[in-house]
Amino acid sequence: MNYIRVGTINIKDNKINRNGGIREDGTNNAKLVSNIIKEKNFDLLGTQELTIKYVNELALFLPNYKFYGNYRCGNLLAKIPYNESNQIITKCNVLETKTFWLPWLANNFSDLKNSITKMSIMPRIATIVVFQDEEHRKVCMINTHLDYQIPSIQIRQLKALNNIIQKYSQLYDIILTRDFNMEIGNNIFDLFINDIKDKLQHVDVYGATWHGANGEETQVDHIFIPKNWKIKNAEIINLKETSDHDAICVNIKRR
């Protein structure tokens, strides 16, 4: 089996005119991102914050890739602002795809108020694809994007995600990509890693993947792969200011 190149990327429009998809320097943001995707030759790429407009623009530049995943407010409302998706972009042979809605409303008044005040109140989803590798074995990839403000909601989302992992891992090896909005060292995140450690291993990279407007930097984007798979190399990919995030790329294969 050859190595599979897997990535995760939060493609949040950065420094562009949202009406035209054109950056302040006059270049097309989607074209710049698509060039990076083609240059790195991803087999599987989990995305976050991808609007239908951005999907359509990327698809023009990526004819050899297919896009899988619903929008968090539903496909019928796909064109409304901020109705984003966690599309999985891939060249692999996809056999099945599904979108799961994660818990996203606080279950107490205080957290609900904070969620509204901090503008984090929005549906959260997990996209899955089941694909077939070159040896005709089936693998499941899960891609998601979690709440970034309210710990009680993050805990419920991680529990729901763990349930999805447990369900699909009965049949398939699992690849997990996402913007967790949490770093290693966060107690909530560390407990989740411990819960899945018998099935998945974390891909370690060194450096920040999110760069804030005020100079903040943190590693909130992560990839997990099957525990019995081999990592050839992993790296952070500079997205050249097309996003406030950088991408992660890893080459993996079964041992």
Side-chain angles (χ1 to χ4, degrees):
M1 175 183 176
N2 293 325
Y3 282 92
I4 298 173
R5 181 164 290 189
V6 177
T8 185
I9 176 174
N10 184 318
I11 314 182
K12 180 179 180 180
D13 291 1
N14 194 39
K15 296 183 179 179
I16 70 168
N17 178 338
R18 285 182 177 268
N19 293 324
I22 305 299
R23 292 161 53 87
E24 292 175 352
D25 61 6
T27 55
N28 184 297
N29 209 50
K31 185 175 183 180
L32 291 172
V33 171
S34 66
N35 286 341
I36 294 170
I37 293 172
K38 288 185 287 188
E39 176 188 344
K40 296 302 177 181
N41 195 26
F42 289 105
D43 296 297
L44 293 151
L45 181 63
T47 70
Q48 301 89 37
E49 299 200 48
L50 199 57
T51 63
I52 189 170
K53 179 179 178 295
Y54 213 133
V55 168
N56 292 337
E57 290 178 348
L58 281 176
L60 291 174
F61 300 113
L62 297 171
N64 295 326
Y65 286 85
K66 292 185 178 180
F67 295 67
Y68 298 91
N70 294 332
Y71 292 82
R72 64 187 180 194
C73 296
N75 289 353
L76 292 177
L77 301 174
K79 293 184 178 181
I80 67 172
Y82 305 108
N83 190 9
E84 297 162 353
S85 63
N86 299 323
Q87 299 266 336
I88 294 176
I89 305 174
T90 181
K91 296 185 291 185
C92 296
N93 178 27
V94 171
L95 306 175
E96 174 188 345
T97 182
K98 189 170 183 177
T99 299
F100 291 90
W101 272 259
L102 305 177
W104 60 280
L105 288 173
N107 54 8
N108 63 78
F109 179 76
S110 177
D111 282 348
L112 179 61
K113 180 181 177 181
N114 285 336
S115 185
I116 295 171
T117 302
K118 295 179 179 180
M119 300 180 67
S120 72
I121 184 168
M122 60 190 70
R124 297 287 179 172
I125 57 178
T127 301
I128 74 152
V129 297
V130 176
F131 67 93
Q132 197 170 47
D133 66 19
E134 61 186 15
E135 297 175 347
H136 305 291
R137 290 186 287 190
K138 297 177 182 178
V139 182
C140 177
M141 178 172 175
I142 305 170
N143 177 55
T144 190
H145 183 195
L146 299 191
D147 185 273
Y148 68 102
Q149 290 285 358
I150 312 300
S152 66
I153 298 177
Q154 292 174 328
I155 290 171
R156 292 166 60 215
Q157 289 173 349
L158 287 172
K159 182 177 180 180
L161 184 64
N162 192 12
N163 289 338
I164 295 170
I165 292 170
Q166 299 304 322
K167 174 184 176 180
Y168 279 88
S169 64
Q170 296 178 37
L171 298 173
Y172 315 110
D173 284 342
I174 302 291
I175 297 169
L176 173 63
T177 58
R178 62 202 280 177
D179 175 357
F180 277 85
N181 279 311
M182 284 177 273
E183 291 183 285
I184 290 179
N186 177 304
N187 184 56
I188 297 171
F189 188 33
D190 288 351
L191 288 173
F192 170 78
I193 294 174
N194 186 66
D195 286 342
I196 63 173
K197 67 180 181 181
D198 60 326
K199 294 181 173 62
L200 299 178
Q201 59 175 310
H202 183 261
V203 174
D204 294 328
V205 292
Y206 301 97
T209 60
W210 175 75
H211 309 276
N214 298 316
E216 316 97 318
E217 290 191 329
T218 186
Q219 187 183 126
V220 296
D221 306 276
H222 303 273
I223 298 177
F224 291 83
I225 68 167
K227 190 172 182 179
N228 59 334
W229 284 39
K230 179 181 178 181
I231 298 173
K232 183 179 181 181
N233 63 288
E235 60 179 329
I236 294 174
I237 306 299
N238 188 327
L239 292 186
K240 303 174 183 178
E241 296 188 348
T242 59
S243 170
D244 56 356
H245 289 249
D246 288 325
I248 299 176
C249 175
V250 62
N251 295 313
I252 60 174
K253 73 174 183 178
R254 288 188 177 88
R255 292 186 184 276

